[in-house]
Amino acid sequence: MGAAEPEVERDNGAGGMKENEEEKEKQKQNTSSVGGGPEGAVAEEEMEQATGDVEKGEMRYHEEAARNVTSVVDNQAQVPPTLIHPDYHVSMLQRLNPTNPLRIAVNGRTRVTTASPAQSQRSVARSTPTPQQSIASLNSRGYTNKCSLVLFLLHMAVAIGLVCFLLFKGVQGFLQANSTVKIKEKRLLKYLLPQIEIVSLLSVTLAFAWQKAVRDCPVLMVHVILWSTFIMSLSTGILLLCFQKPATDGVGACFIAFAIGSGLYACWVSHRAKFCCKILVKSLEPVSKFPDINRPIYLMLVVGSLWMSLWILAVIGALNFYFPPLIIILLVLSLAWTTEVIRNIANITVSRVIALYYLRGMQSSTQFCFQRAVTLNLGSASLGSLLVPAIEALRIIARGLNLLEGEDEFMFSCAKCCLGVMTTIFRYGNGWAFVQIAAYGKGFVKASQDTWELFEMQEMEPIVDSDITSSICFLTGVCSGSICVIVVAAWTFTVHKDYTATLSLLAFFIGYLMTRISMALPHACVSCYYVCYAENPQNRYFDDTIRDRQSVIKSGRDAVVPTPRVPGGRYARRKRLWKKLSSSTQVEGGDWPWELGMGLTEKNVYAQADEDGILYI
């Protein structure tokens, strides 16, 4: 840029005033032209030089550019405004960053700035951008957990093929002249199929009724479900025992044992019911804003009932094939996985609708969310359907062993180890993950990890661990299954006593699965409330319910039996207390104060903890 200035001065000095006047007249005739005359050529050459400097990344501060332009005008001068290209103002950028795609137009030609490698490195080092936190995408287009998706689709292809083949074998056996097979299948069709079809209809009706009741009267239904499960399962067990047959006696004993356990559980969690009702009421509030949110639930119930009808016919056909018990067991496992996937598809659909409402205030299309659930998120639903029931069942067993732990740790020496293993596994696979799967399109394991980290960040683990919503949904399914068993067992015992135990188990299975599908709606709403709160507690859609609960738990005013954790036991409590109190004592090191003869006993330590507002009891 500076090299062109003396040349401008020499040309102007040689031309004289006459040449300047002629140039002015030409400029008056055609003000839009900048190429006529020596001054125009000089200005164009100067602009080319400036552009070349720009292309090399040598743009200087705007003060230097302004000084150069001023010297050209003062020395002669009077360069018309049209000769000063507007793109000179680009020098108001204090430095040209070679990485920016800055374009400079000169005489209708476009030039793109480029920089030498050395200058580019210096500029990049000089202007490193500040990293900004990216907002997670809510519209991901990738398939999640592709391996489990392929496995589930392969399983469905095999299951459909097997069901069709067994249906063919059933029809073939029915049409054969062989009297033994034909009589057996006729008996099954007469005494087994009608009850199963009635159970399918009854289970769908109960599923709709339970969901409607929970949505309309959540506070009342929490208590009704807790105690009606105990009553219905106990009644079922007593009824089956009254038939006085070995098979029905065994099934009845199982129902009575479960009834005792459910009754004890209802007493144990009675103090949690109030908070559960609050969360359930708050989480169901957005449902009224989406009148079509139940359509995927209805569709899944219809698909599930149709598949179960075909499945029953396949079971009848399996009796006319090799190894009937093995085939029936495989059919039962396939049905369990398929219906669990159907339930989680409904769960993911509702979770996306509610999560987008909480996170972005959006009222999204339920149909679009359902399409995503059955396509992009089907792999995660399949994987979660396999892992979550097994992990939660084992975790419940580990918790129970730790709750039974006493002073004698010989019998329960593996309790802490089992709980530690299950706690670690639970971080990589839990039912809370379906919210982030639905909202962000994450894989199942990644969503489980991120969700549990959010809970830990907000100190919500005691709250989500003591939540009984999933237990309420489970007990609702058990109650529906017990009602179906009472109806079918009484009917079957009057027409064909030998099928009573078999049909009782099938009726319970169908009633339980259908109700679990319908209860995916309240379960998903509660999960979204917890997970979305953990992500943004200051969201205007959330009140102080969870914060108040955290304050109550931390202050020790809550009488909740603590959830077993790792490490557990009296030694761990003492160690945590000593860590809290060591900063206020004069003891150095990690020894216990009562071991150092300081006159502090365990009671004193607990009293000090109480005064500090820290309760580990």
Side-chain angles (χ1 to χ4, degrees):
M1 295 175 67
E5 294 174 4
E7 189 174 359
V8 173
E9 292 176 0
R10 287 195 300 270
D11 289 343
N12 289 337
M17 294 299 297
K18 181 178 180 181
E19 187 175 355
N20 290 336
E21 293 175 357
E22 294 177 357
E23 185 63 27
K24 291 179 181 179
E25 291 177 359
K26 291 181 181 180
Q27 290 297 331
K28 290 179 181 180
Q29 295 175 1
N30 188 11
T31 58
S32 61
S33 174
V34 295
E39 285 79 3
V42 171
E44 182 176 358
E45 183 179 358
E46 184 179 3
M47 188 64 67
E48 293 284 349
Q49 181 68 29
T51 305
D53 293 340
V54 168
E55 292 179 352
K56 295 178 183 178
E58 297 175 356
M59 180 67 72
R60 295 170 176 82
Y61 291 102
H62 65 280
E63 291 87 359
E64 182 179 355
R67 188 168 56 251
N68 293 339
V69 174
T70 304
S71 64
V72 173
V73 174
D74 289 341
N75 286 334
Q76 159 90 36
Q78 303 183 6
V79 179
T82 55
L83 292 180
I84 301 177
H85 199 277
D87 282 9
Y88 260 107
H89 293 290
V90 77
S91 63
M92 295 183 68
L93 296 173
Q94 295 198 354
R95 286 187 184 276
L96 177 65
N97 187 350
T99 60
N100 290 338
L102 184 62
R103 295 180 178 273
I104 297 179
V106 180
N107 294 335
R109 296 189 300 272
T110 302
R111 303 200 178 204
V112 182
T113 61
T114 57
S116 61
Q119 293 169 341
S120 177
Q121 292 177 0
R122 289 195 302 268
S123 176
V124 170
R126 191 168 53 239
S127 60
T128 302
T130 303
Q132 297 181 354
Q133 185 179 2
S134 61
I135 300 176
S137 174
L138 297 175
N139 196 26
S140 61
R141 295 294 182 180
Y143 286 84
T144 58
N145 298 109
K146 297 179 182 178
C147 294
S148 59
L149 173 61
V150 173
L151 180 62
F152 177 74
L153 294 178
L154 181 62
H155 151 262
M156 287 303 302
V158 174
I160 292 173
L162 180 61
V163 167
C164 293
F165 175 75
L166 293 176
L167 287 175
F168 168 75
K169 295 297 292 184
V171 174
Q172 185 183 31
F174 185 77
L175 297 177
Q176 281 181 351
N178 187 350
S179 60
T180 304
V181 176
K182 189 173 183 178
I183 292 174
K184 183 188 295 185
E185 291 195 359
K186 279 187 176 180
R187 189 185 300 116
L188 289 172
L189 291 175
K190 182 179 180 179
Y191 299 116
L192 186 144
L193 188 61
Q195 289 92 319
I196 294 300
E197 297 300 329
I198 293 299
V199 162
S200 299
L201 181 61
L202 177 61
S203 62
V204 172
T205 304
L206 289 174
F208 288 143
W210 281 119
Q211 192 208 93
K212 178 66 175 176
V214 169
R215 288 177 57 185
D216 293 344
C217 306
V219 177
L220 175 64
M221 291 308 299
V222 168
H223 300 278
V224 169
I225 291 170
L226 284 174
W227 292 108
S228 63
T229 304
F230 165 71
I231 295 172
M232 297 309 299
S233 57
L234 182 62
S235 303
T236 303
I238 294 174
L239 176 64
L240 293 175
L241 287 176
C242 291
F243 295 150
Q244 296 181 355
K245 295 181 69 67
T248 56
D249 289 345
V251 178
C254 293
F255 273 98
I256 291 177
F258 182 84
I260 295 173
S262 63
L264 294 175
Y265 179 78
C267 296
W268 186 50
V269 301
S270 58
H271 50 271
R272 303 184 192 176
K274 184 178 179 180
F275 179 72
C276 177
C277 295
K278 289 182 180 179
I279 292 295
L280 193 57
V281 170
K282 292 295 298 181
S283 62
L284 289 174
E285 287 179 356
V287 175
S288 60
K289 302 180 182 296
F290 305 94
D292 60 341
I293 197 171
N294 252 329
R295 290 181 183 176
I297 308 293
Y298 300 154
L299 180 60
M300 292 294 98
L301 285 173
V302 172
V303 171
S305 60
L306 292 176
W307 178 248
M308 284 185 181
S309 299
L310 295 176
W311 181 83
I312 291 299
L313 295 176
V315 170
I316 296 175
L319 300 176
N320 192 25
F321 195 59
Y322 302 104
F323 308 108
L326 178 62
I327 293 177
I328 292 175
I329 291 174
L330 292 177
L331 287 174
V332 169
L333 295 177
S334 173
L335 180 65
W337 190 20
T338 304
T339 52
E340 189 69 13
V341 170
I342 290 174
R343 184 179 74 87
N344 285 326
I345 287 174
N347 189 349
I348 291 174
T349 302
V350 177
S351 295
R352 181 168 178 83
V353 173
I354 303 300
L356 292 183
Y357 174 77
Y358 282 140
L359 298 175
R360 300 292 185 268
M362 299 168 54
Q363 292 193 3
S364 55
S365 170
T366 304
Q367 181 180 359
F368 176 72
C369 296
F370 176 72
Q371 292 174 355
R372 285 180 58 92
V374 297
T375 53
L376 302 180
N377 302 134
L378 183 59
S380 297
S382 305
L383 182 60
S385 301
L386 277 177
L387 298 181
V388 171
I391 292 174
E392 289 186 348
L394 294 175
R395 190 165 180 251
I396 290 172
I397 295 173
R399 282 184 177 182
L401 292 176
N402 278 266
L403 287 175
L404 295 175
E405 179 187 3
E407 295 297 329
D408 184 11
E409 297 189 4
F410 176 75
M411 185 179 296
F412 301 99
S413 58
C414 296
K416 292 185 181 65
C417 178
C418 293
L419 182 61
V421 172
M422 294 315 303
T423 301
T424 303
I425 295 176
F426 188 75
R427 297 175 63 91
Y428 296 93
N430 53 75
W432 306 102
F434 290 113
V435 178
Q436 293 216 356
I437 291 172
Y440 300 112
K442 298 180 181 179
F444 177 73
V445 177
K446 177 63 175 175
S448 300
Q449 290 177 297
D450 293 347
T451 304
W452 200 252
E453 287 177 359
L454 287 175
F455 288 154
E456 290 179 341
M457 188 183 306
Q458 302 297 335
E459 299 180 351
M460 292 177 58
E461 308 104 293
I463 296 179
V464 297
D465 274 341
S466 61
D467 180 70
I468 62 173
T469 305
S470 59
S471 301
I472 293 295
C473 296
F474 169 76
L475 293 177
T476 307
V478 173
C479 188
S480 293
S482 301
I483 295 173
C484 293
V485 171
I486 291 175
V487 173
V488 169
W491 181 4
T492 307
F493 188 77
T494 59
V495 296
H496 201 288
K497 297 180 181 180
D498 294 337
Y499 292 159
T500 304
T502 303
L503 282 175
S504 298
L505 292 176
L506 288 176
F508 177 80
F509 196 47
I510 294 173
Y512 170 79
L513 293 176
M514 289 291 100
T515 303
R516 288 287 283 163
I517 293 174
S518 68
M519 292 300 290
L521 175 64
H523 192 192
C525 292
V526 172
S527 299
C528 288
Y529 192 88
Y530 280 121
V531 176
C532 295
Y533 176 86
E535 186 169 340
N536 183 15
Q538 306 303 324
N539 195 317
R540 61 188 178 91
Y541 295 111
F542 304 120
D543 58 5
D544 295 332
T545 303
I546 295 180
R547 280 187 286 269
D548 294 343
R549 180 69 171 177
Q550 287 176 318
S551 301
V552 169
I553 293 176
K554 290 179 181 179
S555 64
R557 298 192 304 270
D558 186 37
V560 174
V561 177
T563 301
R565 296 185 177 279
V566 179
R570 182 179 299 177
Y571 176 79
R573 290 200 302 269
R574 290 178 179 177
K575 189 173 182 180
R576 289 196 297 268
L577 281 168
W578 174 239
K579 286 182 179 179
K580 290 289 184 181
L581 298 176
S582 59
S583 59
S584 61
T585 58
Q586 302 297 323
V587 182
E588 296 181 359
D591 296 326
W592 302 104
W594 50 84
E595 293 176 354
L596 295 176
M598 294 181 59
L600 292 176
T601 63
E602 186 176 356
K603 286 186 176 180
N604 292 336
V605 175
Y606 276 98
Q608 180 66 38
D610 290 341
E611 292 174 3
D612 292 341
I614 306 166
L615 229 83
Y616 291 92
I617 299 176

